[in-house]
């Protein structure tokens, strides 16, 4: 196929995705406590948010409130609040609404870059080399000294080099040294990646290497664009902001001053909702825009002087200061998560390109149901060029360079992925046992680096979130919180909680924010979906697969087309201890043996690396003051809570019958009790909107066996979510 054909198909795919996002949207945020602050021609609203939302000023958004939908524009988006200008009025006060923001404008820029490529014979030639790499490599093989040296030679003699970097195999180390080698030869290098974090990690590694070699020169290495992480703060000036402080401190001070002014005005506005504060804030936003224009001019000078530039694929496609220049080498990291047209755009910018990623991890994300979207936006460049298929052949593709020794995971963790995902092509470096044993010896489950915590026969606690239609499992959630608590009290300060489902991860984040806020300030404790964790790692990973009864079947995230990749990412984020929280009986009954989630469950069960639900009394060593586990038939505490309550909400499955002692207690407080049964699959009690009892009455719990366990949770935030879920 010629390049014109590819470009035509890519543009059709992008157009289909853009149209889908414009029509249906894909990213939704819950916004609350909305107040109308001005209604001069347009309607300006101030909203609070549960989490920080970072949407560029001027971005087009949609607001949905009840059955009403209206379009608007972001005026300010910092911290846990947003200010939005709407075309129509939604009233003075809005208790709750949804904000939709979709990145179709970014795809539109990529669409335009493909038009630019079409007009350039040089760029088209580069794309042709990418999509149809020569079968015969041109680099010498008799002088190779190391894996780094081999990659340097490959990228020097071949226009396209694919690097397969499974987790922990030194991808960042290798790419950084290759980039430094090009820099030593005064080559212009552009580092691109799907995420800001990936760019930051790679730029940090390059800077540290150059400093150790005593060959670092300020301004030669530039991290361009926004960076949210603290990875670069302890280095010499590498970001535009850092260079600004060293070269024009007055302008840097002016920026800091107006940003601080914005912060205080937003705080005033959240308390007053006054028109005056709103107008003042908008004036400050205009000041910020003028300051940023001055900074922009300085950044152009920084770009001109730099030899190694790092930024995201999105920034590169949007900013002419990047895409209008020529480079000697492009290094594209996280290529498995990039759209094929993005990879092609990157290849068009330089004489040679190194494409690095792991096609056994998560693919790009697109929403439209369209044949060309499936082909070009939901699959990576490794597969679309046929390079990935070579792993099923006796020899790898001649331009595929494999990094084959992992140094991240304890061997008991990597044993699963190395056998079932990487075809035994990846081995363990001898150091990982020594380096990871200290973590595996920690609580919970000291001495075990990989295991399954079974939640089978503990009740039917899975349900679908009413807002997002994502899945939630309340019992798994609280068991996972207990694991985090046990690990933290034993000294763990790097803990990740991963779920395939966004709602479950959000509920854990809410619970941690409510009950573990101090601990989160003293440790790296993160709850997120698998997609958000790609590119990260933690000492301890708790993977909650969520799916259980009364669900009829597991979700597509666990058994669908991309489930193997998703599971691979979840397992391989771990350094020293991996705990899979799962209803293994549900998985065994509902999932075929060929699926990777079933293989993971069978791997742990067959290796006797599992903890049964009857062992809960043994592994829980420390009761959190707000999360108390106890026998479900010891009812004194729950009856005492109910006795002193103002209001009791009891959730009961349909047709559940209560024993006499419960009926008697409820009769005594019946004026304070609300009973709900609609869509309730498991019993729970919420007392005064702040105390949750789960697992009682045990007689109303389905699919449970002794020992019968209940848990008492003091969390206003969790109670609020549950009340919202069941519509009381």
């Amino acid at each position: 196929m010629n390049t014109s054909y590819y470009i035509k198909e890519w543009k059709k795919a992008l157009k289909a995705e853009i149209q889908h996002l414009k029509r249906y949207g894909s990213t939704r945020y819950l916004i609350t406590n909305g107040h109308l602050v001005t209604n001069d021609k347009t309607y300006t609203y101030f909203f609070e948010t549960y989490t920080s939302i970072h949407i560029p000023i001027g971005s087009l958004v949609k607001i949905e409130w009840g059955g009403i939908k209206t379009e608007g524009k972001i005026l300010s988006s910092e911290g846990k609040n947003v200010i939005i200008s709407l075309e129509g009025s939604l009233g003075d006060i809005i208790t709750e609404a949804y904000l939709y923001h979709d990145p179709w404008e970014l795809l539109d820029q990529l669409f335009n870059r493909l038009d630019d490529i079409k007009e350039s014979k040089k760029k088209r030639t580069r794309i042709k080399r990418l999509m149809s790499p020569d079968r015969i490599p041109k680099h010498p093989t008799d002088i190779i000294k190391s894996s780094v040296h081999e990659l340097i030679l490959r990228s020097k003699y071949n226009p396209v080099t694919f690097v397969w970097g499974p987790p922990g195999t030194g991808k960042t180390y290798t790419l950084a040294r290759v980039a430094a080698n090009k820099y030593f030869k005064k080559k212009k290098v552009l580092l691109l990646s799907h995420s800001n974090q990936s760019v930051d990690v790679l730029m940090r590694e390059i800077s540290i290497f150059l400093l150790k070699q005593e060959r670092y020169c300020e301004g030669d290495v530039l991290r361009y664009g926004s960076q949210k992480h603290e990875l670069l703060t302890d280095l010499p000036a590498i970001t535009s902001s850092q260079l600004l402080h060293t070269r024009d401190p007055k302008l840097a001070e002016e920026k800091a001053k107006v940003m601080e002014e914005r912060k205080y005005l937003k705080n005033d506005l959240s308390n007053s909702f006054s028109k005056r504060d709103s107008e003042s804030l908008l004036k400050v936003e205009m000041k910020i825009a003028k300051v940023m224009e001055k900074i922009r001019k300085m950044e152009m000078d920084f770009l001109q002087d730099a030899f190694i530039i790092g930024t995201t694929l999105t920034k590169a496609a949007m900013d002419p200061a990047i895409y209008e220049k020529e480079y000697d080498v492009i290094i594209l990291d996280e290529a498995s998560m990039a759209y094929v047209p993005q990879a092609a755009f990157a290849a068009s910018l330089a004489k040679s390109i190194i494409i690095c990623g792991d096609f056994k991890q998560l693919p790009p994300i697109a929403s439209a149901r369209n044949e060309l979207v499936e082909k070009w936006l939901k699959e990576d460049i490794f597969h679309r060029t046929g390079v990935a298929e070579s792993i099923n052949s006796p020899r790898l593709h001649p331009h595929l360079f494999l990094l084959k020794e992992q140094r991240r995971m304890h061997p008991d963790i990597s044993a699963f992925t190395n056998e079932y995902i990487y075809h035994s092509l990846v081995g363990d470096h001898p150091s990982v046992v020594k380096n990871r044993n200290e973590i595996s010896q920690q609580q919970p489950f000291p001495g075990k680096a990989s295991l399954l915590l079974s939640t089978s026969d503990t009740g039917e606690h899975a349900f679908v979130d009413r807002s997002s239609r994502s899945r939630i499992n309340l019992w798994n959630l609280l068991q996972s919180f207990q694991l985090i608590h046990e690990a933290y009290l034993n000294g763990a300060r790097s803990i990740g909680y991963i779920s395939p489902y966004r709602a479950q991860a959000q509920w854990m984040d809410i619970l941690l924010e409510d009950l573990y806020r101090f601990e989160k300030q003293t440790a790296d404790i993160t709850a997120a979906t698998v997609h958000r964790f790609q590119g990260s790692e933690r000492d301890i990973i708790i993977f909650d697969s969520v799916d259980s009864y009364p669900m009829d079947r597991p979700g597509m995230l666990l058994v669908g087309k991309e489930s193997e990749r998703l599971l691979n990412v979840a397992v391989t984020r771990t350094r020293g201890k991996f705990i899979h929280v799962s209803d293994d009986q549900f998985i065994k009954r509902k999932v075929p043996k060929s699926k990777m989630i079933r293989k993971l469950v069978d791997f742990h069960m067959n290796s006797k690396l599992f903890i049964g639900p009857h062992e809960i009394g043994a592994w829980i060593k420390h009761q959190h003051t707000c999360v108390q586990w106890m026998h479900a038939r010891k009812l004194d505490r729950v009856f005492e809570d109910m006795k002193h309550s103002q209001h009791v909400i009891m959730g009961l499955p349909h047709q559940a019958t209560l024993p006499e002692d419960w009926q008697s207690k409820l009769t005594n407080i019946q004026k304070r009790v609300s009973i709900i049964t609609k869509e309730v699959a498991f019993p729970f009690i919420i007392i005064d909107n702040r105390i949750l009892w789960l697992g009682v009455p045990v007689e109303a719990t389905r699919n449970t066996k002794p020992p019968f366990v209940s848990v008492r949770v003091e969390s206003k935030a969790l109670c609020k979510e549950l009340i919202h879920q069941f519509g009381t």
Side-chain angles (χ1 to χ4, degrees):
M1 298 181 191
N2 59 37
T3 306
S4 297
Y5 174 84
Y6 286 127
I7 292 174
K8 185 177 179 181
E9 289 221 325
W10 294 338
K11 289 175 67 175
K12 286 181 179 179
L14 288 171
K15 190 173 182 180
E17 180 69 5
I18 289 168
Q19 289 175 341
H20 176 89
L21 292 176
K22 283 183 176 180
R23 185 172 180 181
Y24 299 106
S26 61
T27 308
R28 181 170 73 165
Y29 305 96
L30 180 64
I31 52 178
T32 60
N33 197 24
H35 284 73
L36 178 67
V37 288
T38 63
N39 59 355
D40 184 16
K41 295 182 182 178
T42 60
Y43 298 84
T44 303
Y45 284 87
F46 178 94
F47 287 96
E48 294 177 357
T49 63
Y50 276 116
T51 57
S52 295
I53 296 177
H54 301 284
I55 301 175
I57 293 171
S59 296
L60 300 177
V61 295
K62 291 181 181 178
I63 302 296
E64 181 180 341
W65 178 56
I68 301 172
K69 289 185 180 180
T70 185
E71 293 187 347
K73 183 183 291 186
I74 293 290
L75 299 180
S76 182
S77 172
E78 286 286 328
K80 293 185 177 182
N81 49 58
V82 292
I83 300 175
I84 308 168
S85 172
L86 300 179
E87 296 176 349
S89 173
L90 296 178
D92 292 339
I93 298 175
I94 303 152
T95 55
E96 186 175 284
Y98 285 101
L99 166 68
Y100 293 85
H101 174 247
D102 303 297
W104 63 264
E105 295 148 303
L106 308 180
L107 296 181
D108 208 31
Q109 291 292 323
L110 181 58
F111 187 96
N112 293 336
R113 300 292 77 74
L114 294 179
D115 276 337
D116 298 341
I117 292 168
K118 202 163 97 173
E119 302 303 317
S120 169
K121 182 179 179 181
K122 179 170 62 177
K123 291 179 182 291
R124 293 199 308 270
T125 300
R126 290 171 178 174
I127 289 177
K128 184 178 180 181
R129 290 172 180 166
L130 170 71
M131 299 307 297
S132 304
D134 292 337
R135 300 300 297 185
I136 302 174
K138 297 182 175 126
H139 65 280
T141 57
D142 56 342
I143 59 171
I144 293 172
K145 301 173 185 176
S146 65
S147 58
V148 172
H149 188 223
E150 180 174 351
L151 186 52
I152 289 169
L153 291 172
R154 281 177 174 269
S155 61
K156 178 180 179 180
Y157 289 93
N158 303 297
V160 180
T161 302
F162 293 90
V163 179
W164 184 15
T169 53
K171 172 175 64 71
T172 302
Y173 174 95
T174 304
L175 293 181
R177 279 145 186 80
V178 171
N181 176 270
K182 305 295 182 185
Y183 164 68
F184 295 153
K185 295 174 181 175
K186 297 301 179 185
K187 302 290 185 183
K188 283 272 189 178
V189 182
L190 177 64
L191 306 174
L192 299 173
S193 186
H194 172 79
S195 70
N196 277 301
Q197 182 178 354
S198 175
V199 177
D200 290 347
V201 168
L202 192 47
M203 296 298 284
R204 177 182 177 81
E205 184 70 21
I206 291 168
S207 299
I208 290 172
F209 177 72
L210 293 178
L211 284 167
K212 286 180 179 177
Q213 297 292 311
E214 298 183 351
R215 299 180 72 171
Y216 185 89
C217 182
E218 184 181 277
D220 283 0
V221 180
L222 176 66
R223 169 61 168 99
Y224 183 60
S226 63
Q227 52 94 22
K228 305 290 182 185
H229 303 276
E230 304 301 318
L231 290 167
L232 309 177
T233 54
D234 60 341
L235 297 172
I238 183 176
T239 67
S240 298
S241 178
Q242 291 167 336
L243 287 169
L244 180 67
H245 275 277
T246 62
R247 300 188 181 181
D248 193 338
K250 286 187 177 180
L251 183 56
E253 187 179 338
E254 186 181 355
K255 177 188 175 185
K257 185 178 178 181
V258 293
M259 297 299 276
E260 189 71 10
E261 190 177 353
R262 172 209 263 170
K263 178 182 174 182
Y264 284 118
L265 279 170
K266 288 197 86 167
N267 185 56
D268 291 343
L269 185 58
S270 67
N271 295 320
S272 69
F273 306 110
S274 71
K275 180 178 180 181
R276 185 188 64 187
D277 287 338
S278 177
E279 289 174 345
S280 297
L281 180 61
L282 297 180
K283 287 178 182 177
V284 169
E285 295 288 3
M286 292 177 67
K287 279 189 198 176
I288 291 172
K290 290 178 181 178
V291 170
M292 296 308 292
E293 182 59 31
K294 294 178 186 176
I295 293 172
R296 171 71 176 172
K297 291 177 181 177
M298 288 202 70
E299 282 185 324
M300 296 306 98
D301 294 333
F302 298 158
L303 281 169
Q304 187 66 34
D305 296 340
F307 280 90
I308 300 178
I309 300 166
T311 192
T312 60
L313 277 164
T314 299
K315 179 73 171 173
M318 293 182 67
D319 197 329
I322 295 292
Y323 68 73
E324 288 183 353
K325 288 187 170 53
E326 276 276 316
Y327 307 89
D328 294 300
V329 183
I330 300 289
I331 297 178
L332 174 58
D333 195 12
E334 284 192 336
S336 61
M337 292 193 75
Y339 296 143
V340 173
Q342 285 181 311
F345 158 70
S348 74
L349 299 177
K351 300 169 186 175
S352 68
I353 184 168
I354 299 170
I355 294 183
C356 187
D358 181 7
F359 46 85
K360 288 289 187 176
Q361 294 192 53
L362 292 170
I365 299 171
S367 303
R369 293 184 178 180
N370 176 283
E371 183 181 352
L372 293 178
V373 171
E374 295 284 340
K375 183 178 180 181
W376 297 116
L377 304 187
K378 294 186 181 182
E379 193 52 276
D380 59 58
I381 189 69
F382 293 94
H383 284 87
R384 289 278 70 92
T385 55
V387 170
E389 296 171 9
S390 68
I391 66 169
N392 299 312
S393 305
R395 294 172 63 90
L396 295 179
H397 190 283
H399 290 294
L400 179 60
F401 176 55
L402 170 64
L403 300 172
K404 54 188 176 184
E405 196 171 53
Q406 76 87 19
R407 300 173 184 236
R408 175 186 295 171
M409 295 166 279
H410 191 288
D412 290 353
I413 301 168
S414 63
F416 174 76
T417 54
N418 288 348
E419 179 178 352
Y420 291 98
I421 293 174
Y422 291 105
H423 306 273
S424 299
L425 292 170
V426 179
D428 301 316
H429 189 271
S431 66
V432 288
V433 176
K434 179 182 177 182
N435 294 343
R436 304 307 182 214
N437 265 347
E438 185 179 344
I439 302 170
S440 67
Q441 293 300 327
Q442 294 179 354
Q443 293 281 5
F445 319 117
K448 290 184 169 65
S450 180
L451 77 156
L452 181 145
L453 177 65
S454 171
T455 57
S456 299
D457 302 321
T458 57
E460 301 186 354
H461 295 104
F463 57 92
V464 175
D465 180 62
R466 68 185 298 183
S467 300
S468 65
R469 309 310 297 167
S470 182
R471 295 188 175 198
I472 298 171
N473 186 319
L474 203 50
W475 192 266
N476 280 27
L477 184 84
L478 295 172
Q479 291 264 283
S480 298
F481 176 85
Q482 186 65 37
L483 292 171
I484 293 170
H485 184 54
E486 297 286 346
Y488 180 83
L489 290 183
N490 198 61
R493 293 298 181 267
S494 173
I495 308 168
Y497 171 82
I498 304 180
S499 169
Y501 301 106
R502 183 183 298 178
Q504 183 84 346
Q506 287 175 338
W507 278 44
M508 177 60 85
D509 196 42
I510 289 167
L511 185 63
L512 289 170
E513 189 66 22
D514 193 22
L515 303 186
Y516 238 58
R517 186 176 300 177
F518 170 78
E519 290 82 355
K520 285 183 70 178
Q521 292 172 357
T522 60
D524 183 359
I525 303 173
T526 307
T529 60
V530 182
H531 287 83
R532 278 189 55 199
F533 255 99
Q534 179 147 317
S536 301
E537 57 185 80
R538 299 291 187 279
D539 286 350
I540 298 173
I541 287 290
I542 297 159
F543 173 59
D544 179 357
S545 52
V546 177
D547 284 346
S548 180
Y549 298 103
M551 300 292 181
D552 292 330
R553 61 182 69 89
M556 292 305 291
L557 287 171
L558 285 187
V559 298
K561 179 184 175 185
E562 309 303 343
S563 58
E564 177 180 318
R565 293 177 171 185
L566 181 141
L567 198 64
N568 183 33
V569 172
V571 175
T572 57
R573 301 310 90 203
T574 324
R575 296 190 191 105
K577 190 181 287 286
F578 173 78
I579 303 171
H580 179 198
V581 180
S582 176
D583 184 341
D584 55 285
Q585 292 301 319
F586 177 85
I587 297 296
K588 284 187 173 183
R589 290 168 187 158
K590 301 287 187 177
V591 179
K593 290 184 177 181
S594 60
K595 295 296 182 181
M596 198 56 65
I597 186 68
R598 173 66 183 274
K599 290 180 181 179
L600 180 62
V601 167
D602 288 344
F603 172 80
H604 280 131
M605 300 298 285
N606 295 337
S607 304
K608 301 192 184 311
L609 297 170
F610 66 93
I611 302 295
H614 63 282
E615 299 178 73
I616 186 170
W619 71 262
I620 292 181
K621 308 290 186 185
H622 306 91
Q623 295 271 29
H624 189 279
T625 53
C626 294
V627 181
Q628 302 278 306
W629 300 85
M630 59 200 77
H631 199 286
R633 294 201 185 278
K634 294 182 179 180
L635 301 173
D636 292 350
R637 186 92 181 268
V638 64
F639 287 157
E640 189 70 13
D641 282 344
M642 292 169 66
K643 179 181 176 181
H644 295 97
S645 66
Q646 299 296 315
H647 181 226
V648 175
I649 299 170
M650 177 174 274
L652 288 174
H654 183 59
Q655 295 183 335
T657 57
L658 296 176
E660 290 184 7
D661 54 348
W662 277 93
Q663 292 182 22
S664 173
K665 293 293 181 182
L666 291 175
T667 299
N668 294 336
I669 59 169
Q670 59 182 338
K671 291 183 179 179
R672 312 199 295 268
V673 178
S674 302
I675 297 178
I676 57 173
T677 59
K678 186 179 179 182
E679 296 183 359
V680 175
F682 54 89
F684 64 88
I685 300 167
I686 296 176
I687 297 171
D688 295 337
N689 295 343
R690 67 180 185 86
I691 297 173
L692 166 67
W693 279 90
L694 187 65
V696 290
V698 69
E699 293 81 2
T701 303
R702 295 192 291 250
N703 197 14
T704 185
K705 293 180 181 178
F708 302 117
V709 178
S710 65
V711 57
R712 180 185 187 270
V713 186
E714 286 191 55
S715 170
K716 289 182 179 180
L718 191 60
C719 289
K720 179 182 177 182
E721 292 300 317
L722 204 57
I723 291 168
H724 179 265
Q725 170 65 28
F726 293 107
T728 58

